[in-house]
Amino acid sequence: MSLKKAFILAIAAFLTMALASAAFAETKIVIKPKVDAFALFLDDSPSMGQEYMATGNSKVVEGLNALKRLNSVVPELGYKSALYTMPEFTTYSPAATYSRNNIARGLSAVPTDTGFFMSTPIGNSFEDLDAKLSNWPGKFAVIFVSDGLSNTGNKPGIVVSKMAKKYGDRFCLHVISVADTARGKALLKNLASRTSCGVYVEADQLKDKAVLDKFAQDVFYTQEEELIVEVVEEVVEVVPAPVPVEDKIVFRNLNFGFDKYKITDEMLPSLEEAAALLQANPNLDILVGGHTDSTGPTAYNQGLSERRANSVATWLEKNGIEGERITAKGYGETNPKYDNNTREGRKLNRRVEIDIEN
């Protein structure tokens, strides 16, 4: 038996014994939406034109600024969104799939010169909002920005309680307060408490990035750490008859994660074994071939396959195999061995193979 054939048989035997089942695990943070939709609801009544807490800005300007800060950190997770103002119920961003740019345009269009009418019917305005929300499916949140000064119409607490009873745990009312009176703050805290999931925050507090991020997460999304486990069960059959020299040596546990090309700890046992066999057979040259699945642009996959091949080739060279014995080549997505229409097939196609060069 030739030295090349013996080398191939040795690797095949090693893979059969050691790699019948290979598992890869990693964790990643996954962001998931808490709600299916949300409405920004801004009080634009006369009292909102008053200066807020010696800031030099009116309450409505401070409220808009708070919503702009919030909009900058809300992840685009496919929920529906809208922007409304009161007491003259006005739509500045109609209900549609959430887009940060669309909401930003709506916020920029809201006038900051409040009207001269004297009434502020918060309760009646929530009834107007309820008419809009009545056809919204799933879970939804309302982010209400106000100074809490209501002086006419139905009592806001009663109206919000009716909405909470109507929608149950589908509905959360959150409040960004620009209140500067004890009465206004008390009313707004009361409104937020009418839904079990309601969050109350002062507009000024949202200037703190940590508070802003926490409020956004409390309202819009969860962060969950998920364990991603990939199990590949591939038994390489030892062929008793001589293996042709041109047969390919496939390292079954040299499979890469999605868009990954760096060597992982799980690959080291196989690489160390391959390096030992190559050192024992110094007359053999090898071709390291990198491959990808079909996800993503063709040109990008070509580059990714080359990075995978170079990563393995570089490791071998750093671990005692002369560089002139190694050729690295990327094949992109052009040579799939498994079905790219399945998740398991795509995993197995993200691979590196080693050929013995004649």
Side-chain angles (χ1 to χ4, degrees):
M1 183 182 296
S2 71
L3 190 58
K4 290 183 179 179
K5 292 179 181 178
F7 175 70
I8 293 174
L9 284 174
I11 289 185
F14 165 75
L15 292 175
T16 300
M17 291 184 291
L19 302 177
S21 178
F24 311 91
E26 61 178 354
T27 60
K28 64 178 181 179
I29 300 298
V30 178
I31 297 178
K32 297 181 179 180
K34 275 187 176 178
V35 294
D36 300 293
F38 68 89
L40 304 179
F41 194 33
L42 175 66
D43 183 351
D44 198 22
S45 61
S47 64
M48 291 288 286
Q50 299 169 1
E51 184 179 1
Y52 176 61
M53 305 289 286
T55 60
N57 290 327
S58 65
K59 297 175 187 176
V60 71
V61 168
E62 286 294 309
L64 283 168
N65 287 341
L67 289 177
K68 289 174 182 177
R69 292 187 193 98
L70 181 62
N71 187 49
S72 71
V73 298
V74 176
E76 295 183 336
L77 298 178
Y79 13 58
K80 181 167 71 172
S81 67
L83 169 61
Y84 306 116
T85 63
M86 59 147 287
E88 291 187 352
F89 195 89
T90 307
T91 301
Y92 284 94
S93 183
T97 300
Y98 172 65
S99 160
R100 185 172 293 118
N101 290 337
N102 287 346
I103 291 295
R105 283 193 291 271
L107 291 170
S108 296
V110 175
T112 56
D113 51 338
T114 57
F116 295 103
F117 47 86
M118 298 305 294
S119 63
T120 306
I122 291 180
N124 292 6
S125 296
F126 267 92
E127 289 178 337
D128 294 334
L129 178 65
D130 184 25
K132 287 285 187 180
L133 301 179
S134 61
N135 293 323
W136 283 23
K139 297 186 68 173
F140 56 87
V142 173
I143 298 88
F144 181 47
V145 182
S146 176
D147 62 0
L149 298 181
S150 180
N151 56 17
T152 188
N154 295 324
K155 292 184 177 180
I158 293 176
V159 176
V160 171
S161 290
K162 288 181 179 178
M163 292 175 66
K165 183 177 180 180
K166 175 181 177 180
Y167 297 114
D169 60 5
R170 293 176 51 214
F171 169 48
C172 293
L173 175 62
H174 310 287
V175 171
I176 299 176
S177 169
V178 288
D180 55 1
T181 67
R183 182 167 65 91
K185 290 182 180 182
L187 184 142
L188 294 174
K189 289 178 180 179
N190 179 269
L191 292 184
S193 70
R194 298 286 174 139
T195 60
S196 60
C197 45
V199 178
Y200 172 93
V201 68
E202 303 281 346
D204 195 55
Q205 293 176 300
L206 296 182
K207 295 176 183 178
D208 183 323
K209 185 64 163 55
V211 176
L212 178 67
D213 288 339
K214 184 179 186 307
F215 182 74
Q217 184 171 344
D218 288 342
V219 174
F220 298 105
Y221 65 93
T222 60
Q223 286 185 318
E224 301 175 12
E225 187 175 53
E226 289 191 353
L227 179 66
I228 309 301
V229 180
E230 295 185 1
V231 178
V232 180
E233 295 184 356
E234 290 287 334
V235 178
V236 182
E237 192 174 328
V238 178
V239 182
V243 180
V245 171
E246 65 271 17
D247 273 9
K248 191 184 300 292
I249 305 169
V250 180
F251 289 80
R252 298 294 182 185
N253 66 341
L254 289 186
N255 289 88
F256 292 80
F258 178 74
D259 201 26
K260 299 291 192 301
Y261 63 88
K262 293 183 179 179
I263 299 299
T264 64
D265 291 343
E266 289 83 359
M267 299 177 181
L268 294 181
S270 294
L271 289 171
E272 290 167 355
E273 182 74 11
L277 289 169
L278 287 169
Q279 287 169 345
N281 297 273
N283 63 325
L284 293 180
D285 295 335
I286 57 172
L287 171 65
V288 180
H291 303 267
T292 73
D293 61 26
S294 60
T295 305
T298 300
Y300 182 83
N301 285 338
Q302 177 60 37
L304 179 59
S305 70
E306 293 169 2
R307 291 191 289 276
R308 286 173 177 167
N310 288 331
S311 184
V312 171
T314 299
W315 188 96
L316 290 171
E317 188 172 353
K318 287 182 177 179
N319 286 270
I321 309 305
E322 297 85 351
E324 57 267 23
R325 297 173 60 191
I326 306 170
T327 301
K329 183 177 180 180
Y331 295 90
E333 61 188 62
T334 61
N335 190 19
K337 294 185 68 175
Y338 305 91
D339 186 358
N340 273 317
N341 292 317
T342 68
R343 184 167 180 249
E344 188 65 23
R346 290 190 295 273
K347 291 179 188 177
L348 296 175
N349 281 331
R350 301 193 292 265
R351 69 195 191 279
V352 161
E353 298 176 342
I354 296 179
D355 289 333
I356 300 298
E357 291 197 312
N358 294 326

